[in-house]
Amino acid sequence: MTGWWSRRSVAGKVELYTRWTFHLMAPVEILAFGGAPLSSGGRSGLGTGGALGLALWVLVHAVLCGVLVSRALDHTTGTRPRPVRLAAALAGATVLANLVVSGLWAAGVLTDASVVASVLVGTSVFTTGALVFCLDRVRHMAYAVAGTAVAAALPVTAFGHGAPEGLVTLVGVLVGGGAYASACGFSSWLLDVVQELERSRDLKARLAVAEERLRFGRDLHDVMGRNLSVIALKSELAVQLARRGRPEGVDQMVEVQRIAQESQREVREVVRGYREADLRIELEGARGVLDAAGIDCAVDAPALDLPAGVQSALAWVVRETTTNVLRHGDARRCAIALRAEAGGVLLTVENDGAEAAVPAVRDGSAAGAGSGLAGLRERLGAVDGTLDAGPSGPDGFRVTARVPLPRHIAEDVRPTAP
């Protein structure tokens, strides 16, 4: 049960909780109002068949409300269209049943007023809640509550029971239906907000990737565009000189060769700058991104005078593990610690809620080939570092990166003021 729950995202948990909370309203309605006709015995005047008929109507009504709520929640999550026809069928069936119950009461067939109140008011209240799930605006929800109350009170008044009984019915449905409709409307709104936050988190990750690709594309264009244009012009000039038998064509091709070699060097620098990351920037970025996602991030990382290659490798560890925390599991807390130890430096990233994330990140599949934990091991291997990753506690996951340092550098690595 714990794994079945923890594997769900926050939005999935809220949806499951909301869905089953209101599915359980069906047995509540059946037990609270369906038993009234049967328990009244001979006082209702309906006999056994009539009492069973009213109890069966409450049962059918509860099932209709449950199905409508389920379809409406599917509409809220974007998997189904709005269940307009089913909502209209439920509203029409409720109005028809109110007319029948009021008519039986007026004709003296149904003599127990408590049975009338249970069936008429109870089903109207649950109808109000189910209809509210299908609506988006608060004004329309208020109209649904008022309309259901009027639809329950009018037959009582019209069949000659008088204004007092109709007013009591109206107030009962307004109060009960309004309270239930408020809970339903708030739950639907909350589910919609959580779903939107989940979509925003995914969109933020995709935008970050797209922005980095655009930056790399702009840098590469700036480097290659000018040089390729010069190479094309000089190559064309060399062809023309060669056709005329001019020795200057050789000089032009030598210049083309020089520009091509320079272009290769500049491209390597661009790629190197793209692949290298700054440790301090990545630590602050991890704190900001995780905090924005609602994950409590504690960063304990004093400024250390590390070689550029070591800083870049550890920065990639921070970047990749932060991505895994966001995209896998359901973390609530994350702790990042950087420590200077004997002969090297140690970086740990630990988070909870990662039971579902362990299989996804263990093989490095979190971000495609060359990424994930496998990619981090390659980067750390370039500086003789190691990476350990695995479960930590009941639902935690810990990534530990160790990078050894030469003795003359390790002696100088001390915590310094940021």
Side-chain angles (χ1 to χ4, degrees), residues 13-78:
K13 291 176 180 178
V14 174
E15 178 188 353
L16 185 66
Y17 171 78
T18 304
R19 190 178 295 274
W20 281 103
T21 296
F22 289 97
H23 282 176
L24 290 175
M25 292 296 105
V28 170
E29 179 183 358
I30 294 171
L31 294 175
F33 304 110
L38 299 177
S39 63
S40 63
R43 298 193 309 273
S44 64
L46 290 174
T48 303
L52 287 175
L54 281 182
L56 180 61
W57 156 242
V58 175
L59 174 63
V60 172
H61 181 271
V63 172
L64 282 175
C65 287
V67 173
L68 179 59
V69 168
S70 179
R71 298 290 179 86
L73 289 174
D74 289 340
H75 167 68
T76 302
T77 56

Side-chain angles (χ1 to χ4, degrees), residues 5-15 194 198 201 329-330:
W5 174 260
S6 63
R7 281 193 296 270
R8 296 179 178 272
S9 64
V10 174
K13 291 176 180 178
V14 174
E15 178 188 353
V194 173
E198 192 80 6
R201 176 187 294 183
D330 184 21

Side-chain angles (χ1 to χ4, degrees), residues 364-372:
S365 61
S371 299

Side-chain angles (χ1 to χ4, degrees), residues 91 134 171 210 214 273 286 296 300 304 333 339 389 414:
C134 303
V171 173
L214 287 174
D296 184 17
D300 183 9
L304 301 178
R333 294 181 300 276
R339 290 285 184 273
R414 295 289 186 270

